Amino acid sequence: PTEKNIPRRRRRRRRAAASARAERDRAAAEAKFLDWVATFSPEGRRMNCASPIQKRHVLFSSLKVTFTKTHKVGGATFQDGETTALAWADAQRAIAAGAATWTASEDGECMIDSLRKTIKVDNTEGLAE
């Protein structure tokens, strides 16, 4: 039957059931994504999946590391003492494996600190107090 031929109450019930299924599916997909993020960043479970800034940081950030032993990342092999920028997830895995360390930037800051973003809020109306 077409949507017009179905009584209004039944249409509402179908839409409510579909909405509930969609919400369960969304929650399951979000939990699966956060579990994946947590595999390379212990704090990943606390990520706000609705934040485009946080998603961009997790998916596209890079981290400068220095290898402490020969290590293969993807299709490339890096030698002891070699410094390179890796995708965030690859850098986290190399560090966890003991094959790399954080690399300090020119001003002596750890590169991880320079990746953190500060968001400034215009509080002229005093709403953020």
Side-chain angles (χ1 to χ4, degrees), residues 37-116:
V37 172
T39 61
F40 57 85
S41 178
E43 293 292 313
R45 283 197 187 357
R46 298 175 55 197
M47 180 181 152
N48 176 4
C49 289
S51 168
I53 293 171
Q54 290 183 18
K55 286 188 282 192
R56 184 173 48 235
H57 179 72
V58 165
L59 297 173
F60 303 113
S61 291
S62 63
L63 185 62
K64 196 172 183 182
V65 296
T66 300
F67 287 90
T68 56
K69 60 183 179 183
T70 301
H71 188 70
K72 188 172 181 178
V73 177
T77 301
F78 297 94
Q79 302 300 321
D80 183 13
E82 192 172 346
T83 299
T84 189
L86 293 176
W88 181 265
D90 292 335
Q92 289 286 354
R93 284 189 204 102
I95 291 166
T101 59
W102 305 112
T103 300
S105 63
E106 294 76 32
D107 58 2
E109 264 185 28
C110 181
M111 288 300 289
I112 187 70
D113 293 332
S114 65
L115 289 175
R116 292 190 179 129

Side-chain angles (χ1 to χ4, degrees), residues 20-33:
R21 276 192 311 274
E23 182 58 32
R24 283 192 307 271
D25 291 347
R26 185 205 57 77
E30 183 175 306
K32 186 175 181 180
F33 176 73

